[in-house]
C-alpha cells in the first residue's frame, strides 16, 4: 500500500533566529543550511531578504542543493500595488525557490496591527501570491494567529486561508502563533478548514511550544489531514520555541502509527545521523545539548536504576521505545 507524503519545512534560520541570545552570522547560516540540506528536509527557510544586511546577502545566491530554498516576508502593504511594494520586490528578486508570506488571519490583528480593512488584507494575500508565482517561485502563506483568529471569527479566518489557496498558494500554513491551542482544537479546526474546500495536501501546521505541545499539535494536524509540518532544529524559537523537528522526524519515521501511513524525504541513513546533526547545531550555538532531549539526548537511552538496568542487560526492548542506533544515539547503562 502506498504511503502519503509528509513535507518538512525548517524555519531554524528565520523563526529560530528570534530565540533570545541567538544571532546567526553569515558563516553560521551557511553551516546550518548545509546541515538541513544533508538531513533532507523539503524546505529550508533562510530568512527575510531586505530586512537586514545578513539576510540580504544570504539570498544573493541559492544556499541549498536538495532542499527548496525559501525566502520569508510580509504580504504587500495595503494601499500599495504589488508592483510598487519594496518588500515584495526584495522577495521576488532573491535567489530563492519559494516565498513564504506571513499574512494576518485574525481580524483583530488586521484592525490593530495592520490598520486596514478586512477586504484590503484579503487583497494583499491574493496579490502577493500572484506576484510570487509571476516571479517563477512557489508560493506559501503562513496564516498567522490562525487558530485564535478562527475561534474569534471563523468566517474571516477561513476567508484568509481561501484567499491564499484560490490565488494559487502551494501551501496554506495554519499557525498557532501564540502556542496556546490544544491538540483536540487543532484536529477540529483543520477538519473545518478541509470541509471549507482546502485539501489537506495543501495544508501545513506551524506550532509554537508555549504549552509544551508543539510536537503533539503538529502530529494532531497530520492526523487531521495536514501534510506539511513546520519546525526548527532542537525546537529553538521565540518565547518557548517552535515544534522540534529533531523529535518529529524520528517519530514520523519510526513509530508505526505514522511510518506505516506516511513517508518523508528523510532517508533511513539520514535519520541515523539526526543525533549528530542536533549536537552539531548546538555546537554552532555554543551551548550544551539538552541531555534529556527525546531521541537525540545523551540520556535518551541511559538507564541508571537497578531494576531497569537489569532488564536492559537482558533485553534492551524492555525499556527502549526505539533502537538508539536508529537515530545515531547509543545505549548507556
Amino acid at each position: 500500500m502506498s504511503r502519503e507524503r509528509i513535507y518538512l519545512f525548517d524555519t531554524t534560520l528565520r523563526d529560530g533566529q528570534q530565540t533570545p541570545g541567538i544571532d546567526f552570522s553569515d558563516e553560521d547560516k551557511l553551516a546550518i543550511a548545509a546541515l538541513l540540506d544533508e538531513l533532507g528536509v523539503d524546505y529550508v527557510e533562510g530568512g527575510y531578504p531586505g530586512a537586514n544586511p545578513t539576510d540580504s546577502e544570504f539570498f544573493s545566491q541559492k544556499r541549498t542543493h536538495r532542499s527548496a530554498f525559501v525566502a520569508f516576508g510580509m504580504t504587500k502593504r495595503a494601499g500599495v500595488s504589488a508592483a510598487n511594494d519594496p518588500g515584495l520586490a526584495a522577495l521576488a528578486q532573491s535567489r530563492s525557490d519559494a516565498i513564504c508570506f506571513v499574512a494576518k488571519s485574525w481580524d483583530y490583528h488586521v484592525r490593530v496591527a495592520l490598520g486596514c480593512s478586512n477586504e484590503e488584507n484579503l487583497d494583499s494575500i491574493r496579490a502577493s501570491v500572484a506576484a510570487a508565482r509571476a516571479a517563477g517561485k512557489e508560493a506559501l502563506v503562513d496564516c498567522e494567529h490562525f487558530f485564535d483568529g478562527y475561534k474569534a471569527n471563523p468566517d474571516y479566518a477561513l476567508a484568509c486561508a481561501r484567499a491564499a489557496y484560490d490565488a494559487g498558494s502551494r501551501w496554506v500554513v495554519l499557525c498557532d502563533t501564540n502556542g496556546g491551542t490544544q491538540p483536540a482544537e487543532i484536529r477540529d479546526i483543520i477538519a473545518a478548514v478541509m470541509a471549507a474546500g482546502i485539501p489537506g495536501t495543501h495544508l501545513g501546521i506551524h506550532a509554537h511550544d508555549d504549552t509544551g505541545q508543539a510536537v503533539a499539535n503538529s502530529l494532531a494536524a497530520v492526523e487531521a489531514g495536514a501534510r506539511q509540518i513546520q519546525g526548527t532544529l532542537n525546537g529553538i524559537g521565540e518565547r518557548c520555541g517552535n515544534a522540534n523537528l529533531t523529535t518529529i522526524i524520528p517519530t514520523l519515521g519510526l513509530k508505526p502509527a505514522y511510518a506505516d501511513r506516511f513517508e518523508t524525504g528523510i532517508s533511513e541513513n539520514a535519520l541515523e545521523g539526526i543525533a549528530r546533526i542536533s549536537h552539531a547545531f548546538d555546537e554552532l550555538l555554543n551551548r550544551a545539548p539538552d541531555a534529556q532531549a527525546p531521541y537525540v539526548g545523551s540520556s535518551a537511552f541511559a538507564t541508571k536504576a537497578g531494576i531497569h538496568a537489569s532488564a536492559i542487560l537482558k533485553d534492551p526492548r524492555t525499556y527502549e521505545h526505539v533502537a538508539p542506533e536508529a537515530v545515531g544515539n547509543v545505549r548507556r547503562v
Side-chain angles (χ1 to χ4, degrees), residues 91 153 215 273 278:
L91 294 169
N153 185 342
V215 169
S278 171

Side-chain angles (χ1 to χ4, degrees), residues 99-118:
I99 298 173
C100 183
F101 295 104
V102 59
K104 302 295 185 185
S105 57
W106 185 357
D107 59 348
Y108 164 72
H109 274 259
V110 173
R111 183 178 71 254
V112 173
L114 295 184
C116 68
S117 71
N118 286 353

Side-chain angles (χ1 to χ4, degrees), residues 35-57:
L35 288 174
L36 294 167
D37 207 32
E38 175 192 350
L39 181 58
V41 297
D42 298 287
Y43 298 88
V44 172
E45 188 174 54
Y48 195 155
N52 57 70
T54 298
D55 280 0
S56 295
E57 168 59 27

Side-chain angles (χ1 to χ4, degrees), residues 9-11 14-15 18 45 70-75 99-106 121 125 129 139-146 160-161 164 169-177 202-208 228-231 242:
F9 183 109
D10 183 277
T11 182
R14 198 277 301 172
D15 209 338
Q18 298 183 50
E45 188 174 54
V70 185
F72 171 88
M74 295 183 66
T75 54
I99 298 173
C100 183
F101 295 104
V102 59
K104 302 295 185 185
S105 57
W106 185 357
N121 182 53
I125 294 171
V129 171
L140 304 89
V141 174
D142 277 8
C143 291
E144 188 180 38
H145 293 283
F146 183 84
C160 293
S169 185
R170 170 64 183 90
W171 293 103
V172 179
V173 182
L174 310 181
C175 302
D176 185 27
T177 310
H202 287 262
L203 285 177
I205 179 72
H206 182 127
H208 283 253
Q228 189 207 88
I229 298 174
Q230 294 193 359
N242 285 265

Side-chain angles (χ1 to χ4, degrees), residues 8 24 45 50 61 97 104 129 139-140 157 185 202 263 265 287:
L8 299 168
F24 298 132
E45 188 174 54
Q61 56 183 290
D97 301 303
K104 302 295 185 185
V129 171
L140 304 89
E185 295 177 301
H202 287 262
E263 61 180 351
R287 69 177 192 178

Side-chain angles (χ1 to χ4, degrees), residues 185-267:
E185 295 177 301
I186 296 281
R187 293 188 188 94
D188 290 346
I189 292 172
I190 287 179
V193 173
M194 293 173 63
I198 303 178
T201 52
H202 287 262
L203 285 177
I205 179 72
H206 182 127
H208 283 253
D209 205 33
D210 296 74
T211 63
Q213 297 181 98
V215 169
N217 281 340
S218 299
L219 296 173
V222 167
E223 291 162 7
R227 294 296 177 258
Q228 189 207 88
I229 298 174
Q230 294 193 359
T232 59
L233 285 176
N234 295 346
I236 69 167
E238 64 180 341
R239 302 189 314 274
C240 303
N242 285 265
N244 189 342
L245 289 182
T246 55
T247 300
I248 290 171
I249 289 171
T251 298
L252 291 174
L254 298 174
K255 293 299 177 181
Y258 302 103
D260 290 349
R261 294 181 57 200
F262 306 111
E263 61 180 351
T264 70
I266 311 299
S267 68

